[in-house]
């Protein structure tokens, strides 16, 4: 499993955020659950560790982000990928 986050730099700056601050916030959420950031360029990519509770931890983080106005304002495509394929997680916002 992995989740990829893209962010709109201009949207972040309109909220007086830097992309670095946005990235650090996201990284800290995943680090709390020991979920590794495997790419931290323009796109942040986090993967599971193969533990049975990784799925629940990742979706707990994602759902909390979907409830955050700042995230919804700054996020560009965000994609969940697993053995079943890919899903745009921003499409889940209306269900939260």
């Amino acid at each position: 499993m992995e989740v990829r986050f893209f962010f709109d730099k201009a949207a972040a700056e309109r909220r007086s955020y830097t992309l670095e601050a946005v990235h650090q916030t996201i990284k800290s959420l995943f680090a709390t659950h020991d979920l590794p950031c495997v790419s931290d360029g323009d796109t942040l990519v986090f993967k599971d560790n193969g533990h049975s509770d990784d799925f629940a931890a990742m979706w707990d983080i994602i759902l909390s982000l979907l409830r955050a106005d700042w995230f919804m304002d700054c996020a560009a495509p965000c994609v969940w990928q697993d053995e079943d394929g890919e899903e745009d997680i921003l499409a889940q916002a209306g269900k939260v």
Side-chain angles (χ1 to χ4, degrees):
M1 295 177 285
E2 77 174 30
V3 61
R4 296 185 305 270
F5 294 95
F6 304 84
F7 295 95
D8 181 333
K9 182 178 181 179
E13 289 173 349
R14 281 193 298 274
R15 292 186 66 99
S16 300
Y17 301 137
T18 64
L19 278 184
E20 293 79 19
V22 170
H23 284 194
Q24 188 55 44
T25 299
I26 303 296
K27 287 179 189 179
S28 68
L29 293 170
F30 280 85
T32 300
H33 295 280
D34 296 320
L35 294 164
C37 180
V38 296
S39 176
D40 65 354
D42 290 337
T43 305
L44 291 179
V45 180
F46 298 90
K47 288 195 174 230
D48 69 295
N49 286 314
H51 300 131
S52 61
D53 61 343
D54 287 349
F55 177 86
M58 291 176 90
W59 273 100
D60 185 46
I61 295 165
I62 290 165
L63 292 173
S64 69
L65 289 169
L66 291 175
R67 292 182 189 104
D69 291 338
W70 70 266
F71 177 79
M72 294 304 296
D73 288 346
C74 299
C78 297
V79 179
W80 169 269
Q81 183 177 356
D82 62 16
E83 63 277 352
D84 295 328
E86 292 186 355
E87 178 179 358
D88 175 7
I89 61 174
L90 295 178
Q92 299 296 319
K95 300 176 185 176
V96 176

